[in-house]
Amino acid sequence: MVANLIKKLGKKLYSLLAVFIFLLIWEVAPRVGLADPIFVPPFSKVILAFFQLIISGEMFKDVLISLQRAIIGFGLALIIAVPLGLLIGWFDRIEKFLDPLLQTFRQTSALALLPVFILIFGIGEVSKVAIIFWGVQWPILLNTISGVKTVDPLLIKSARSMGASPLTLFIKVILPGAFPSIFTGIRLSATSAILILIAAEMIGSNSGLGFLIYESQVKIEVPNMYAAILSIAILGLVVNYLLVLLGKKIMKWNDDTSIINE
């Protein structure tokens, strides 16, 4: 038992080895002159700035503001994109009619449309939520469509042959069969929501993590800038980890869980 525990611990440490090496290089390079400490401060100074921002409460305030914006935009995309994707994926005529338009829209960068959203909605909260909604809906929508279309036709025929009603067919066959693909879209969108928001906050905002990065860069408070960037990375990892756990709980019935371990 002890040997197995040591073996598992060794595997965990090995998986983090690349991170440790990167942080060590980050700490040493500015100190030995391989990087300019003004623009790339040692990692220890960044960590110090990180905890100072936490103690002052500034970090929590900006994280909560950014999370609130991201959750609203992501939630709206989830509510709209999943039902729409199920509808488009189930009805071929609707898909053929809308696909050229959807493919055109999905290629339009969310950040390129930010000035348009600001013109329409102003520089307040609505424009930020709108840009998140636009950017994150496409992975959910397109993965939902793909999931519906890749459900095993034999399962559909078998359910129909046993007299399953359209509602039963949808609940018992279509939705479970499409869910792994839908969940992949949700994971992609959840991380994208944070990244799109940070960029939007750097362009037009007076609060949030993106604003903290921009303000620190303008004031040449470089350790604070890196500390904010580090907090974004940690936030992304936490969101992804929570979604992986949620996926494992929901999809216990599915033997192929590789889709949620990626």
Side-chain angles (χ1 to χ4, degrees):
M1 185 175 180
V2 176
N4 289 334
L5 185 62
I6 294 173
K7 187 177 180 180
K8 289 181 180 178
L9 182 61
K11 288 182 178 180
K12 288 290 184 182
L13 291 175
Y14 181 76
S15 65
L16 294 173
L17 184 60
V19 176
F20 292 143
I21 292 173
F22 171 75
L23 296 179
L24 180 63
I25 294 172
W26 186 355
E27 177 68 28
V28 172
R31 296 187 182 278
V32 299
L34 294 176
D36 190 334
I38 295 176
F39 302 112
V40 185
F43 181 68
S44 56
K45 290 188 177 181
V46 174
I47 286 293
L48 180 61
F50 180 81
F51 284 108
Q52 286 174 342
L53 288 170
I54 290 176
I55 293 170
S56 68
E58 186 176 359
M59 180 69 75
F60 283 119
K61 180 193 72 174
D62 288 322
V63 166
L64 288 176
I65 290 171
S66 293
L67 272 178
Q68 182 181 11
R69 292 166 176 163
I71 289 171
I72 294 172
F74 175 74
L76 288 173
L78 197 62
I79 291 170
I80 294 173
V82 171
L84 186 60
L86 293 170
L87 180 68
I88 295 172
W90 187 242
F91 294 101
D92 289 335
R93 288 187 178 182
I94 297 178
E95 187 205 2
K96 289 176 181 178
F97 177 72
L98 291 177
D99 187 63
L101 187 63
L102 295 178
Q103 295 301 330
T104 301
F105 280 163
R106 71 172 293 205
Q107 301 301 329
T108 306
S109 169
L111 296 179
L113 291 174
L114 181 58
V116 177
F117 284 105
I118 291 176
L119 284 173
I120 296 172
F121 300 112
I123 203 167
E125 296 299 306
V126 178
S127 61
K128 296 175 185 61
V129 171
I131 200 70
I132 295 168
F133 167 77
W134 178 271
V136 306
Q137 67 172 319
W138 303 113
I140 300 175
L141 178 63
L142 297 175
N143 275 275
T144 301
I145 295 171
S146 175
V148 173
K149 295 188 74 64
T150 54
V151 173
D152 191 345
L154 289 176
L155 294 177
I156 298 174
K157 289 180 180 179
S158 298
R160 283 175 171 166
S161 67
M162 290 186 288
S165 66
L167 181 61
T168 301
L169 178 66
F170 175 79
I171 295 174
K172 297 292 186 179
V173 179
I174 303 300
L175 196 56
F179 188 80
S181 182
I182 296 172
F183 190 78
T184 300
I186 291 172
R187 281 189 63 191
L188 291 172
S189 294
T191 51
S192 296
I194 297 173
L195 298 177
I196 293 170
L197 173 64
I198 298 305
E201 288 176 340
M202 292 176 70
I203 296 171
S205 183
N206 58 2
S207 61
L209 287 172
F211 174 73
L212 178 60
I213 294 172
Y214 175 75
E215 185 183 43
S216 300
Q217 183 255 333
V218 170
K219 293 181 178 179
I220 318 181
E221 296 174 345
V222 180
N224 286 358
M225 182 184 74
Y226 281 103
I229 294 171
L230 181 63
S231 69
I232 294 168
I234 294 172
L235 187 61
L237 286 172
V238 170
V239 169
N240 185 68
Y241 181 72
L242 290 176
L243 284 173
V244 168
L245 288 179
L246 178 63
K248 288 180 178 179
K249 291 287 184 181
I250 295 174
M251 292 194 287
K252 283 183 177 179
W253 50 268
N254 194 340
D255 291 334
D256 183 12
T257 57
S258 60
I259 195 73
I260 60 175
N261 293 321
E262 293 177 358

